[in-house]
């Protein structure tokens, strides 16, 4: 099976995005699954377009997208994507939508289709702080998860899609104003999440 793992480009004045730093360090195979890793622009429109292209070209069995959640104190495994763009800051293309849908006429929300609870349990088992999250926000991360689930609902019913938010890296939180997690632990967390997805696909 093929699993597409995506991270995002830095945004909001940051020099790095831990999501891509962690995603790109994953091995190319985990538990019988082939991993394909791609960096996605932190832009509302370009992120959905990039995902569409990857899904068309690669035809993966699952997509695990990863994003930075500044201020998070643990790994957040997202359960829901909502049909709303409501940005507090501009994306990397300068776009700052208010109260717009991700997909005009699309359903209000989709649930993630990866085994979210199993992933959180497996992370905690390995002493990695993790929580189920019921909001991926209303910025580009929620937008990407919604696009993945919408495209899956329309065109690829067997495709599994999910999203994991990671905290800042320690170097982004040096002043002590926000929690952080070391890169090694984040990579391990993504490894565990991919393993759980591959395991479920086998069944
Ligand atoms: N985090 C942002 C978008 C890109 C990223 O890494 C978010 O949570 O929406």
């Amino acid at each position: 099976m093929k699993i597409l793992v995506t991270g995002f480009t830095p945004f909001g004045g940051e020099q790095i995005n831990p999501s891509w730093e962690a995603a790109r360090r994953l091995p190319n195979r985990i538990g019988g699954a082939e991993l394909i890793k791609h960096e996605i622009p932190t832009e509302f429109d370009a992120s959905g377009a990039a995902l569409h292209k990857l899904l068309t070209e690669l035809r993966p069995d699952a997509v695990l997208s990863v994003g930075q959640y500044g201020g998070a104190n643990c790994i957040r495994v997202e359960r829901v994507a909502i049909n709303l763009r409501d940005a507090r800051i501009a994306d990397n293309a300068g776009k700052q939508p208010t109260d717009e849908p991700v997909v005009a006429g699309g359903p209000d929300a989709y649930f993630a289709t990866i085994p979210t609870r199993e992933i959180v349990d497996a992370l905690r088992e390995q002493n990695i702080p993790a929580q189920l999250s019921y909001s991926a926000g209303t910025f580009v991360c929620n937008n990407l998860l919604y696009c993945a689930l919408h495209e899956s609902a329309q065109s690829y019913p067997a495709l599994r899609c999910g999203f994991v938010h990671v905290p800042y890296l320690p170097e982004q939180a040096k002043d002590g104003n926000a929690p952080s997690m070391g890169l090694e632990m984040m990579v391990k967390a993504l490894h565990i999440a991919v393993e759980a997805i591959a395991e479920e696909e086998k069944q």
Side-chain angles (χ1 to χ4, degrees):
M1 72 173 298
K2 225 189 261 180
I3 303 183
L4 170 64
V5 183
T6 71
F8 276 107
T9 54
F11 68 101
E14 296 288 336
Q15 298 304 309
I16 50 170
N17 189 321
S19 65
W20 177 237
E21 294 309 313
R24 72 187 177 91
R25 285 175 171 82
L26 286 169
N28 294 327
R29 292 201 77 83
I30 295 180
E34 178 195 354
L35 268 69
I36 301 153
K37 297 157 260 174
H38 275 276
E39 191 181 26
I40 301 254
T42 301
E43 298 175 24
F44 281 102
D45 293 334
S47 59
L51 181 78
H52 174 73
K53 190 161 179 278
L54 289 168
L55 293 182
T56 312
E57 286 172 6
L58 302 170
R59 296 301 191 96
D61 300 287
V63 186
L64 178 66
S65 296
V66 188
Q68 162 189 306
Y69 193 117
N73 56 9
C74 67
I75 301 287
R76 295 165 60 101
V77 181
E78 301 298 343
R79 288 205 103 167
V80 187
I82 60 173
N83 194 12
L84 180 64
R85 292 174 164 185
D86 197 21
R88 189 178 42 81
I89 56 169
D91 70 8
N92 287 355
K95 192 166 179 165
Q96 191 175 353
T98 303
D99 292 346
E100 283 180 14
V102 177
V103 176
D108 288 343
Y110 285 107
F111 286 115
T113 46
I114 58 169
T116 51
R117 190 175 295 279
E118 286 78 359
I119 292 170
V120 168
D121 289 346
L123 292 172
R124 291 180 176 174
E125 186 97 358
Q126 297 292 319
N127 296 323
I128 298 178
Q131 270 178 7
L132 286 169
S133 161
Y134 296 89
S135 172
T138 51
F139 194 48
V140 180
C141 289
N142 170 73
N143 184 91
L144 184 67
L145 179 59
Y146 188 94
C147 286
L149 289 163
H150 187 66
E151 191 146 346
S152 164
Q154 302 279 306
S155 312
Y156 309 109
L159 177 69
R160 299 280 155 259
C161 307
F163 199 101
V164 168
H165 262 123
V166 296
Y168 282 136
L169 286 166
E171 58 263 46
Q172 295 176 285
K174 275 194 283 224
D175 61 7
N177 278 336
S180 64
M181 182 180 277
L183 185 56
E184 209 177 306
M185 185 175 276
M186 278 186 200
V187 177
K188 191 173 168 190
L190 298 187
H191 197 289
I192 290 167
V194 169
E195 250 165 13
I197 295 167
E199 194 53 43
E200 194 193 55
E201 283 282 315
K202 264 198 277 171
Q203 286 158 16

